[in-house]
Amino acid sequence: MKKKCSIAIFSTGLAIANSVVYASESDLLNSNITEPSIPTIEVSKISSGNRFQAVDIADGKTIYVSGTNSSVYKSDNAGESWQQVNSPGKHDKLQYRDILIDQDKIVLMSAGVKDQSRVYTSLNQGKDWKLNLIGKQESDFYDCITNAKGETWLYGDSKDGMLTVFSAEQNASGWKKETLPFKANLNEGGFASSGTCINSNSDGDIIVGTGNTENPRLLLKKHNRDWQSITTPFKGGEAAGVFSVQLKDSNVYAFGGSLKEKEGHAVGYKYNLTSNNWQPLPKLPLLGAIYGSALINDSILVSNPQGVALLHKGEAKWQVISDLNIWALACHSSFCVGVGADDTVIKITNI
């Protein structure tokens, strides 16, 4: 089932979808602000009764999304049509909160307490699946996965005072527990909101954002080096901290906030690995915490249940481009895809 419509953001700042006003034409005329580019958003409802929480774009045409009720869907034509993938664990109604695609290989991660946390792998586009990793204790909770130089890495909530990091080579089958050179902070974990609490760059470096502890931090592993702990300016506490991270060259883009402070603005920072300096990004128009983020060229996209915001390089303000409930984002060279509540997939072009 698929329902589709397109949304264009016009120069007056009016969003046709749900009539959200971003800025009036007179505001733009009475200022020296250059009008931002005009993204186009195509909205699709591709299933029934699901909330999508992860998305990966394999190439310019192949897109996979996953979410509640063990749901996995695939598009072979850049989102024009979608097919349901034969996914594992259907009877358990798992929440597939992260998905990675590498040619014919699919790695699925579900989040939940104990055996609700799992990692499945398919080497033939979802025809057959193998269970590779599963939680065995109540304290086991997986948060997110990433690929880095042929290896798959998983981050989960801390356990017995130790940080939870697993790694696997090639086919994501032989998982091993990593021992980090420092212990976990009290209750330290991650946020399984979009599959982006761990990320990597083209050099094979890995970055993790932590939270739910007094002092949220970044965990950095440079390729072929040991892990480092980096202090952040993010406020800590229950359900607060770093939710989503992106790593590009020597820059980390970190986003988060607090699920408890729903009227407070979500926050974003840029951290340079060379200078070791934190730089606050412009004030975010979304409240609470950022769930997902993505980079495309020199622009940044962030999302949460309040919508999607876009920041172009050099601009002083974020542009709200959607008020749909979007949890996760991913970008290719010319477009981005967001997924979220009510079976929704959006494709963003003309960014």
Side-chain angles (χ1 to χ4, degrees), residues 76-92:
D76 289 316
N77 50 18
E80 287 299 312
S81 61
W82 294 85
Q83 306 84 40
Q84 187 170 11
V85 175
N86 173 39
S87 59
K90 288 183 179 179
H91 295 299
D92 296 325

Side-chain angles (χ1 to χ4, degrees), residues 21-320:
V21 178
Y22 306 125
S24 69
E25 187 172 8
S26 61
D27 288 337
L28 293 171
L29 292 174
N30 293 331
S31 70
N32 294 321
I33 298 174
T34 303
E35 292 185 39
S37 60
I38 308 170
T40 299
I41 300 178
E42 186 179 274
V43 182
S44 300
K45 302 280 189 177
I46 68 169
S47 67
S48 178
N50 296 311
R51 179 180 66 240
F52 296 122
Q53 297 160 289
V55 53
D56 196 17
I57 305 174
D59 51 45
K61 293 183 178 180
T62 307
I63 308 168
Y64 281 79
V65 304
S66 64
T68 58
N69 302 309
S70 302
S71 58
V72 181
Y73 285 78
K74 174 187 179 183
S75 174
D76 289 316
N77 50 18
E80 287 299 312
S81 61
W82 294 85
Q83 306 84 40
Q84 187 170 11
V85 175
N86 173 39
S87 59
K90 288 183 179 179
H91 295 299
D92 296 325
K93 293 187 176 181
L94 300 173
Q95 293 194 32
Y96 286 130
R97 295 198 174 205
D98 210 350
I99 186 168
L100 298 175
I101 311 302
D102 184 7
Q103 297 181 344
D104 291 339
K105 182 177 73 176
I106 308 171
V107 183
L108 267 178
M109 187 213 77
S110 64
V113 176
K114 198 176 178 181
D115 60 2
Q116 293 293 294
S117 279
R118 306 178 192 179
V119 176
Y120 288 96
T121 304
S122 172
L123 302 180
N124 53 13
Q125 299 185 17
K127 295 177 183 177
D128 301 291
W129 293 92
K130 181 180 179 181
L131 176 61
N132 299 121
L133 192 64
I134 186 169
K136 297 179 180 179
Q137 298 179 357
E138 293 295 324
S139 55
D140 290 331
F141 195 105
Y142 302 159
D143 294 310
C144 42
I145 52 176
T146 193
N147 281 329
K149 290 287 187 179
E151 294 182 318
T152 306
W153 293 80
L154 180 148
Y155 175 68
D157 289 355
S158 63
K159 178 180 175 181
D160 300 326
M162 303 298 293
L163 290 157
T164 299
V165 177
F166 287 91
S167 66
E169 296 181 358
Q170 297 300 325
N171 294 333
S173 56
W175 289 88
K176 64 177 181 178
K177 179 77 180 292
E178 297 286 327
T179 301
L180 276 65
F182 38 80
K183 292 185 178 181
N185 295 323
L186 182 64
N187 297 323
E188 190 169 20
F191 297 97
S193 54
S194 66
T196 55
C197 65
I198 189 172
N199 232 314
S200 58
N201 63 12
S202 57
D203 294 328
D205 304 331
I206 302 164
I207 195 74
V208 175
T210 81
N212 203 55
T213 190
E214 184 176 353
N215 298 302
R217 55 181 165 173
L218 298 180
L219 308 176
L220 171 68
K221 187 183 188 306
K222 301 285 287 184
H223 188 54
N224 291 330
R225 297 184 189 177
D226 209 347
W227 288 88
Q228 305 172 47
S229 173
I230 301 172
T231 303
T232 76
F234 283 80
K235 292 182 179 180
E238 184 182 1
V242 184
F243 282 61
S244 179
V245 289
Q246 299 292 328
L247 181 57
K248 183 178 181 182
D249 301 324
S250 294
N251 291 312
V252 179
Y253 299 87
F255 302 94
S258 173
L259 297 179
K260 295 284 188 178
E261 299 178 10
K262 296 183 179 180
E263 298 304 315
H265 283 265
V267 291
Y269 290 89
K270 177 182 176 181
Y271 179 76
N272 185 271
L273 297 176
T274 303
S275 65
N276 299 322
N277 287 330
W278 285 95
Q279 176 186 345
L281 294 172
K283 185 177 180 180
L284 279 155
L286 305 177
L287 303 179
I290 294 302
Y291 284 23
S293 64
L295 306 179
I296 178 168
N297 302 321
D298 291 324
S299 298
I300 308 170
L301 284 163
V302 295
S303 67
N304 74 4
Q306 294 183 346
V308 182
L310 168 67
L311 181 68
H312 289 299
K313 183 179 181 180
E315 290 188 353
K317 278 190 174 182
W318 292 84
Q319 179 187 3
V320 177

